[in-house]
């Protein structure tokens, strides 16, 4: 949980720097195959088994991302996660 929280903070800082505006990021711990009791809620981190889409969608930010923000974030992820091609 502590690592997920730290990674969310890192992602938030990276996105804010890359996009040039404040992007809200919340940690989400996914434990596939586990039964998760959502009656116990945490303000710090979301925990799910990945199958509960209603719970995941309830974790969304108070202010939804605009289409422009989604495009900017998508572009940044594509740049960060693209494996360069090497010529032999």
């Amino acid at each position: 949980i502590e690592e997920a929280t730290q990674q969310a903070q890192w992602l938030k800082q990276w996105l804010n720097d890359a996009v040039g505006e404040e992007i809200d990021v919340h940690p989400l711990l996914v434990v596939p195959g586990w039964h998760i009791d959502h009656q116990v809620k945490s303000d710090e981190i979301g925990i799910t088994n990945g199958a509960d889409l209603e719970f995941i969608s309830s974790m969304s930010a108070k202010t939804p991302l605009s289409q422009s923000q989604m495009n900017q974030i998508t572009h940044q992820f594509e740049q960060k996660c693209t494996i360069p091609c090497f010529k032999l």
Side-chain angles (χ1 to χ4, degrees):
I1 292 176
E2 183 177 323
E3 185 173 345
T5 302
Q6 290 171 352
Q7 293 298 323
Q9 287 299 319
W10 177 89
L11 179 61
K12 179 178 182 168
Q13 185 62 51
W14 178 75
L15 284 173
N16 291 346
D17 292 345
V19 174
E21 61 183 287
E22 185 80 14
I23 302 294
D24 205 18
V25 176
H26 297 280
L28 179 64
L29 180 62
V30 180
V31 190
W34 285 35
H35 171 76
I36 308 295
D37 183 359
H38 291 293
Q39 293 177 356
V40 178
K41 298 199 182 223
S42 169
D43 292 334
E44 295 178 21
I45 187 169
I47 303 174
T48 182
N49 61 12
D52 188 353
L53 298 178
E54 184 177 320
F55 173 76
I56 294 171
S57 66
S58 74
M59 291 286 301
S60 61
K62 295 173 186 157
T63 306
L65 295 171
S66 68
Q67 187 63 49
S68 174
Q69 288 172 317
M70 287 189 276
N71 292 342
Q72 290 176 319
I73 291 168
T74 300
H75 174 75
Q76 292 302 322
F77 278 129
E78 287 172 346
Q79 296 301 308
K80 184 86 169 166
C81 301
T82 301
I83 299 172
C85 296
F86 295 101
K87 292 184 180 181
L88 298 176

Short mmCIF file of all heavy atoms in Angstrom, two decimals, residues 27-29 36-42 45-60:
data_model
loop_
_atom_site.label_atom_id
_atom_site.label_comp_id
_atom_site.label_asym_id
_atom_site.label_seq_id
_atom_site.Cartn_x
_atom_site.Cartn_y
_atom_site.Cartn_z
N PRO A 27 -3.92 6.24 -5.97
CA PRO A 27 -3.39 4.88 -6.05
C PRO A 27 -4.52 3.85 -6.06
O PRO A 27 -5.56 4.04 -5.41
CB PRO A 27 -2.55 4.75 -4.78
CG PRO A 27 -3.07 5.78 -3.84
CD PRO A 27 -3.63 6.89 -4.70
N LEU A 28 -4.30 2.78 -6.81
CA LEU A 28 -5.26 1.68 -6.89
C LEU A 28 -4.47 0.39 -6.86
O LEU A 28 -3.63 0.15 -7.73
CB LEU A 28 -6.08 1.78 -8.17
CG LEU A 28 -7.11 0.67 -8.41
CD1 LEU A 28 -8.19 0.69 -7.33
CD2 LEU A 28 -7.72 0.80 -9.79
N LEU A 29 -4.70 -0.44 -5.86
CA LEU A 29 -4.04 -1.73 -5.73
C LEU A 29 -4.98 -2.80 -6.28
O LEU A 29 -6.11 -2.92 -5.82
CB LEU A 29 -3.72 -2.02 -4.26
CG LEU A 29 -3.02 -3.33 -3.95
CD1 LEU A 29 -1.65 -3.39 -4.62
CD2 LEU A 29 -2.87 -3.50 -2.44
N ILE A 36 -12.65 -8.99 -2.44
CA ILE A 36 -12.41 -7.71 -1.77
C ILE A 36 -13.73 -7.22 -1.19
O ILE A 36 -14.73 -7.10 -1.91
CB ILE A 36 -11.84 -6.65 -2.73
CG1 ILE A 36 -10.61 -7.17 -3.47
CG2 ILE A 36 -11.54 -5.35 -2.00
CD1 ILE A 36 -9.41 -7.47 -2.61
N ASP A 37 -13.75 -6.94 0.09
CA ASP A 37 -14.94 -6.43 0.77
C ASP A 37 -14.91 -4.90 0.69
O ASP A 37 -14.12 -4.25 1.36
CB ASP A 37 -14.95 -6.88 2.23
CG ASP A 37 -16.19 -6.43 2.98
OD1 ASP A 37 -17.06 -5.75 2.39
OD2 ASP A 37 -16.29 -6.76 4.17
N HIS A 38 -15.76 -4.33 -0.15
CA HIS A 38 -15.75 -2.88 -0.34
C HIS A 38 -16.54 -2.14 0.73
O HIS A 38 -16.71 -0.93 0.65
CB HIS A 38 -16.30 -2.52 -1.73
CG HIS A 38 -15.38 -2.93 -2.82
ND1 HIS A 38 -14.15 -2.36 -3.01
CD2 HIS A 38 -15.50 -3.88 -3.78
CE1 HIS A 38 -13.54 -2.92 -4.03
NE2 HIS A 38 -14.34 -3.85 -4.52
N GLN A 39 -16.99 -2.86 1.75
CA GLN A 39 -17.65 -2.18 2.86
C GLN A 39 -16.62 -1.42 3.70
O GLN A 39 -16.95 -0.46 4.37
CB GLN A 39 -18.40 -3.18 3.74
CG GLN A 39 -19.58 -3.81 3.02
CD GLN A 39 -20.28 -4.84 3.88
OE1 GLN A 39 -19.85 -5.15 4.98
NE2 GLN A 39 -21.36 -5.38 3.37
N VAL A 40 -15.39 -1.89 3.65
CA VAL A 40 -14.30 -1.21 4.34
C VAL A 40 -13.63 -0.31 3.32
O VAL A 40 -13.04 -0.78 2.36
CB VAL A 40 -13.29 -2.21 4.92
CG1 VAL A 40 -12.15 -1.49 5.60
CG2 VAL A 40 -13.97 -3.18 5.87
N LYS A 41 -13.73 0.99 3.50
CA LYS A 41 -13.19 1.94 2.52
C LYS A 41 -11.98 2.65 3.08
O LYS A 41 -11.89 2.89 4.27
CB LYS A 41 -14.26 2.93 2.11
CG LYS A 41 -15.43 2.24 1.45
CD LYS A 41 -16.26 3.19 0.65
CE LYS A 41 -17.42 2.40 0.09
NZ LYS A 41 -17.73 2.67 -1.23
N SER A 42 -11.08 2.98 2.20
CA SER A 42 -9.89 3.74 2.56
C SER A 42 -9.88 5.01 1.74
O SER A 42 -10.12 4.99 0.54
CB SER A 42 -8.64 2.91 2.27
OG SER A 42 -7.50 3.73 2.39
N ILE A 45 -6.24 4.76 -0.53
CA ILE A 45 -5.97 3.89 -1.66
C ILE A 45 -7.19 3.04 -1.99
O ILE A 45 -7.92 2.64 -1.09
CB ILE A 45 -4.74 2.98 -1.37
CG1 ILE A 45 -4.34 2.18 -2.61
CG2 ILE A 45 -4.99 2.09 -0.18
CD1 ILE A 45 -3.02 1.48 -2.46
N GLY A 46 -7.41 2.81 -3.27
CA GLY A 46 -8.46 1.90 -3.69
C GLY A 46 -7.89 0.49 -3.81
O GLY A 46 -6.75 0.32 -4.24
N ILE A 47 -8.65 -0.50 -3.41
CA ILE A 47 -8.21 -1.89 -3.51
C ILE A 47 -9.32 -2.67 -4.20
O ILE A 47 -10.48 -2.59 -3.81
CB ILE A 47 -7.92 -2.50 -2.12
CG1 ILE A 47 -6.85 -1.66 -1.40
CG2 ILE A 47 -7.46 -3.95 -2.25
CD1 ILE A 47 -6.59 -2.07 0.03
N THR A 48 -8.96 -3.41 -5.25
CA THR A 48 -9.93 -4.17 -6.01
C THR A 48 -9.30 -5.43 -6.56
O THR A 48 -8.07 -5.55 -6.59
CB THR A 48 -10.52 -3.32 -7.16
OG1 THR A 48 -11.51 -4.08 -7.85
CG2 THR A 48 -9.45 -2.89 -8.14
N ASN A 49 -10.14 -6.36 -7.01
CA ASN A 49 -9.62 -7.56 -7.67
C ASN A 49 -9.57 -7.35 -9.19
O ASN A 49 -9.17 -8.24 -9.92
CB ASN A 49 -10.44 -8.79 -7.31
CG ASN A 49 -11.90 -8.68 -7.72
OD1 ASN A 49 -12.28 -7.79 -8.46
ND2 ASN A 49 -12.71 -9.59 -7.22
N GLY A 50 -9.99 -6.20 -9.65
CA GLY A 50 -9.95 -5.86 -11.06
C GLY A 50 -11.22 -6.19 -11.81
O GLY A 50 -11.44 -5.73 -12.92
N ALA A 51 -12.08 -7.00 -11.21
CA ALA A 51 -13.32 -7.41 -11.88
C ALA A 51 -14.49 -6.48 -11.55
O ALA A 51 -15.49 -6.48 -12.25
CB ALA A 51 -13.68 -8.84 -11.48
N ASP A 52 -14.36 -5.70 -10.50
CA ASP A 52 -15.44 -4.83 -10.05
C ASP A 52 -15.34 -3.46 -10.72
O ASP A 52 -14.78 -2.52 -10.18
CB ASP A 52 -15.38 -4.70 -8.52
CG ASP A 52 -16.57 -3.98 -7.95
OD1 ASP A 52 -17.41 -3.46 -8.72
OD2 ASP A 52 -16.68 -3.93 -6.72
N LEU A 53 -15.87 -3.38 -11.94
CA LEU A 53 -15.76 -2.14 -12.71
C LEU A 53 -16.50 -0.98 -12.05
O LEU A 53 -16.09 0.17 -12.17
CB LEU A 53 -16.26 -2.35 -14.13
CG LEU A 53 -15.47 -3.38 -14.94
CD1 LEU A 53 -16.10 -3.54 -16.32
CD2 LEU A 53 -14.02 -2.99 -15.05
N GLU A 54 -17.59 -1.29 -11.36
CA GLU A 54 -18.34 -0.23 -10.68
C GLU A 54 -17.47 0.42 -9.61
O GLU A 54 -17.44 1.64 -9.47
CB GLU A 54 -19.61 -0.80 -10.05
CG GLU A 54 -20.49 0.26 -9.41
CD GLU A 54 -21.78 -0.32 -8.85
OE1 GLU A 54 -22.37 -1.20 -9.50
OE2 GLU A 54 -22.16 0.10 -7.75
N PHE A 55 -16.72 -0.38 -8.85
CA PHE A 55 -15.84 0.17 -7.83
C PHE A 55 -14.74 1.01 -8.46
O PHE A 55 -14.44 2.11 -8.02
CB PHE A 55 -15.21 -0.94 -6.97
CG PHE A 55 -14.17 -0.42 -6.03
CD1 PHE A 55 -14.54 0.25 -4.87
CD2 PHE A 55 -12.82 -0.57 -6.29
CE1 PHE A 55 -13.59 0.76 -4.00
CE2 PHE A 55 -11.85 -0.07 -5.43
CZ PHE A 55 -12.24 0.59 -4.28
N ILE A 56 -14.14 0.49 -9.54
CA ILE A 56 -13.05 1.20 -10.20
C ILE A 56 -13.55 2.55 -10.73
O ILE A 56 -12.90 3.57 -10.56
CB ILE A 56 -12.43 0.35 -11.32
CG1 ILE A 56 -11.74 -0.88 -10.71
CG2 ILE A 56 -11.43 1.16 -12.14
CD1 ILE A 56 -11.29 -1.91 -11.72
N SER A 57 -14.73 2.56 -11.33
CA SER A 57 -15.26 3.82 -11.85
C SER A 57 -15.61 4.78 -10.72
O SER A 57 -15.57 6.00 -10.91
CB SER A 57 -16.47 3.57 -12.76
OG SER A 57 -17.54 3.05 -12.02
N SER A 58 -15.93 4.27 -9.54
CA SER A 58 -16.24 5.15 -8.41
C SER A 58 -14.98 5.83 -7.88
O SER A 58 -15.06 6.80 -7.14
CB SER A 58 -16.92 4.38 -7.28
OG SER A 58 -15.99 3.56 -6.59
N MET A 59 -13.80 5.33 -8.27
CA MET A 59 -12.54 5.92 -7.83
C MET A 59 -12.18 7.15 -8.67
O MET A 59 -11.19 7.81 -8.41
CB MET A 59 -11.40 4.90 -7.97
CG MET A 59 -11.46 3.74 -7.02
SD MET A 59 -10.99 4.22 -5.36
CE MET A 59 -9.34 4.84 -5.65
N SER A 60 -12.95 7.44 -9.69
CA SER A 60 -12.59 8.52 -10.60
C SER A 60 -12.50 9.86 -9.88
O SER A 60 -13.09 10.06 -8.83
CB SER A 60 -13.57 8.60 -11.77
OG SER A 60 -14.85 8.87 -11.30
#
